[in-house]
Structures are given as C-alpha cells and as structure tokens.
Amino acid sequence: DINALIGHFGLGFYSAFMVSEKVDIITKSHQADAKAIKWSCDGSPEFELSSAKRDSRGTDIVLHIAEDSEEFLEESRILDLLKKYCKFLPVPIRFGNEKTWETVEGEKDQDGNEKRVEVEHPRIINNINPLWKQKPAELSDEDYKNFYRELYPMNFDEPLFYIHLNVDYPFNLTGILYFPKVKRNFEVTRDKIQLYCNQVFVTDSVEGIVPDFLTLLHGVIDSPDIPLNVSRSYLQSDGNVKKISGHITKKVADKLEDIFKNNRDEFEKKWDDIKIFIQYGMISDEKFYERAEKFCLLKNTSGKYFTFEEYKKHIEAIHTDKNKKLVYLYANNNEEQHSYISNAVEKGYDILLMDSVLDSHFINMLERKLENSSFVRVDADVVDKLIEKEEML
C-alpha cells in the first residue's frame, strides 16, 4: 500500500543513531554474482561504502552503542522493548535462544521418574497471528481470556466481557476491547488500549481517537485508516476517526444492551463493576446517553436494581410532592446514613444508593434529563420535610 505511513520513511532505522556512535550495514543482494557491501555512518551527512564478506543473501545492521546508552546492551532491556513495540509484528522476530525442560518419551531417570532434559530453542518474541486478526466464530471465551493475559500479564483480574471488532467498509478496523473491573480511582485504568497500524504498535494513548469514556476500556485497535502524522486536535475533526469513534461507541452500547436484554441477572451482578464506565459515558457523550438510558440501572439501599422507567413507576405514587414533582431520595453511604435511611423507609420511602465517585455529576445530569424531577439526599432535612406534601386540613 503506497499510502501506508509505516515503513516508508526510514525513521525507525535512523532512530538507531539516538543510541549509537556508529552504525554499520552489511548487505548482499539475492541477484546472481552479487557482492556484499558495507555501509558505515556516524550520524553525520557523510558515510562510507566498502566491500564486505557475507556468504548468503540478507542484511546485518550493527549498532556501536554509545557510552551513555549502554543500558541497551542489557538483554532484559532489549527484551522489554521488543515485547512492547514488536509484540504482534506480522513477521517472526528472533532474539537469541531460550532454554526449556522437555520430557524424553520412553526414558526414566535414576529415580524412575520421567526423564527431562534441557533443550535450547530459538526465542521468537512476537505473535504473528494475534487474536484480533482471527475469525470470531473460530474462537472460544478461553481464547479471549488468554489473549487478555497476553496483553496484560501483570493484571490478575479477569475481564468482565469483550467485543471483537471487525470492519472493512467504509473504513478498516479490527481489534478486541475488554471491559475491566473499573476501580473507584478509575484514572488508573486509563491508557490501556493499544493502537496498531497493520500489527505495528503505534501508541497506548488513544485520546482523540476514541471518546474519552472509552479510554477506560482495555484491549487493541488496529486500523490503517487513522492518520498518524497529525496533531491530536486534528484527529478529532478527521472524517475517518469520527466514523471509527462512532462505530466503537455503537458496538459498546450494542454489547451492553445485548447482555442486559438476554441475561439481566448477569448484568446486575456486574453492575457495580461497570457502573462508573456507563455513568461516565452518559455524562460525556450524548449519543451514548440515548442508548444507555435503556439499560442504565439505579440501585436502592436494599440492593434491588431498576431501570429509569421501572424506578419511576416504583416510587411515583408516594414520592410525588405537592407541586407534582417526582423526588428521588438518595444516600451516599449505607452505614453512615443508616438512621436517616431507616426513618425514611419507615415512612414508606425508597432510597437510592449513590456511592460512586461520579454520582454527584450523574445526579446533576439526571436532574436536567428527567422531566419534573429532583434529587434530595436522605439527610438533607428531617424526614417529614424531605418530600413536601399537601397540608392536611
């Protein structure tokens, strides 16, 4: 593809001079009778060409590491870099050898146990056929979980569920997005989506490419249609990026709605882990709000879950004040506000539990969205004044 950015400008190669005082290239063509050539350069505009010895076709690139960059001679440092930036390149990358223990079939050791011997193999550091390039119909739940562990070996929480993206028109997009358990401090879960271009790692900072609330997801997006040589402010106005962003938002909403409709019990069990994600999306993205209002849940202090419409019907008979306004009572902490909750429940009221880090913003949004409604904290006044009723004559 002549329009592809990656692999056309030599920037990857010239970055070698950031850590090297000199770079040698020894190469030999596949053509018959070709002779090997050596190219040497110290990073200046000048370079040297000379004859070299090489028995077979191919190319060696030799970096003479500078004194201040000798960390890049350490095996562990090189391996970390290769695994980060080359983990899914479409051609195998070998980095030395690795040793493993293997069982010798039919042989026993001196203690009568199966005989095991140490064997050295070429160490291939990349997966040339990552899961997102494979057909979803041929994959199992376990395949997706194993791939999550491959992406995040230090994350010991299982993902809640996943979405496999596969679009080839009107733009090219593949990938797998995982819903993690969102921590109360949800900032720690950001920057976990990795962006690739034809399996070449680009960045793990995808702001401007996906809506802000989707940066709480984990996983991989691979698309050659995302411009890489522009500013992030330009990205937000790019036509393809807008389409890709909108498609991802739609697929996320489709997945959540599908789970809600087909397995509500499972959805409710996972609600506390996905609540912040859904609230953040509804606050920050109008189109997502329009989809999510059908499956967003409200939880009361008894642990029961309701959709917006269900909860309105549940409380409107007793929670409507003298001005015909529907009053939603809520608590932030079941234990600390226990006495206030108990007094309100005794009066027949139902109390919502709004205890997430986003609930104050979420309540403000709901007061704007829900017609003729208001939210009152259960300890805002004495119980008889929480919902003003017509005075009895």
Side-chain angles (χ1 to χ4, degrees), residues 31-246:
Q31 296 175 352
D33 302 323
K35 295 180 179 179
I37 298 294
K38 179 181 179 181
W39 177 94
S40 294
C41 181
D42 61 4
S44 69
E46 305 296 325
F47 59 88
E48 292 181 7
L49 285 176
S50 59
S51 297
K53 287 185 178 181
R54 184 180 172 86
D55 295 331
S56 58
R57 60 179 285 191
T59 300
D60 294 328
I61 300 176
V62 182
L63 309 185
H64 300 266
I65 300 297
E67 260 186 55
D68 61 356
S69 299
E70 288 183 354
E71 63 177 288
F72 296 105
L73 293 173
E74 298 171 10
E75 182 176 338
S76 59
R77 183 77 167 100
I78 298 170
L79 192 58
D80 286 345
L81 289 169
L82 288 173
K83 285 185 174 179
K84 179 171 183 179
Y85 294 101
C86 307
K87 195 170 189 174
F88 300 111
L89 281 178
V91 291
I93 297 174
R94 177 180 176 180
F95 181 52
N97 295 320
E98 59 184 348
K99 294 178 180 179
T100 59
W101 287 90
E102 295 185 1
T103 301
V104 181
E105 192 173 343
E107 292 190 30
K108 304 286 185 181
D109 61 19
Q110 60 186 10
D111 297 321
N113 300 316
E114 289 184 334
K115 186 175 181 181
R116 293 171 61 81
V117 294
E118 191 176 44
V119 181
E120 194 169 72
H121 297 283
R123 177 165 52 187
I124 305 299
I125 61 91
N126 57 320
N127 176 355
I128 64 172
N129 186 30
L131 212 67
W132 76 83
K133 303 294 285 186
Q134 300 176 36
K135 295 178 181 179
E138 298 173 357
L139 301 172
S140 66
D141 282 349
E142 195 58 33
D143 291 326
Y144 287 103
K145 289 178 182 177
N146 288 337
F147 186 64
Y148 186 77
R149 296 183 195 109
E150 184 178 353
L151 289 173
Y152 311 106
M154 301 309 293
N155 188 337
F156 302 109
D157 287 332
E158 292 284 334
L160 298 171
F161 36 85
Y162 55 83
I163 299 170
H164 197 139
L165 304 166
N166 194 351
V167 184
D168 55 19
Y169 183 82
F171 47 81
N172 288 292
L173 173 70
T174 55
I176 300 172
L177 294 177
Y178 293 93
F179 287 74
K181 292 182 179 179
V182 180
K183 308 281 191 287
R184 288 189 68 85
N185 178 14
F186 60 87
E187 291 296 332
V188 301
T189 70
R190 287 180 180 275
D191 295 336
K192 294 295 179 68
I193 296 179
Q194 300 169 13
L195 175 64
Y196 288 79
C197 179
N198 294 326
Q199 294 178 236
V200 178
F201 177 78
V202 178
T203 182
D204 54 11
S205 179
V206 294
E207 294 93 342
I209 298 170
V210 301
D212 194 49
F213 77 99
L214 292 181
T215 61
L216 296 178
L217 297 180
H218 295 178
V220 173
I221 295 172
D222 190 335
S223 176
D225 290 330
I226 296 174
L228 305 176
N229 60 339
V230 296
S231 67
R232 293 202 172 272
S233 59
Y234 178 85
L235 272 177
Q236 294 171 351
S237 61
D238 180 81
N240 270 339
V241 171
K242 282 185 175 180
K243 290 175 186 174
I244 289 171
S245 175

Side-chain angles (χ1 to χ4, degrees), residues 284-297:
S284 61
D285 190 298
E286 183 64 30
K287 287 185 178 179
F288 186 76
Y289 176 90
E290 292 170 3
R291 294 290 306 277
E293 65 177 336
K294 300 169 189 172
F295 53 76
C296 181
L297 298 179

Side-chain angles (χ1 to χ4, degrees), residues 320-324 387-393:
T320 303
D321 70 9
K322 65 181 182 181
N323 299 312
K324 307 302 182 187
I387 302 176
E388 294 188 12
K389 299 287 187 176
E390 295 281 1
E391 291 184 12
M392 302 295 292
L393 297 177

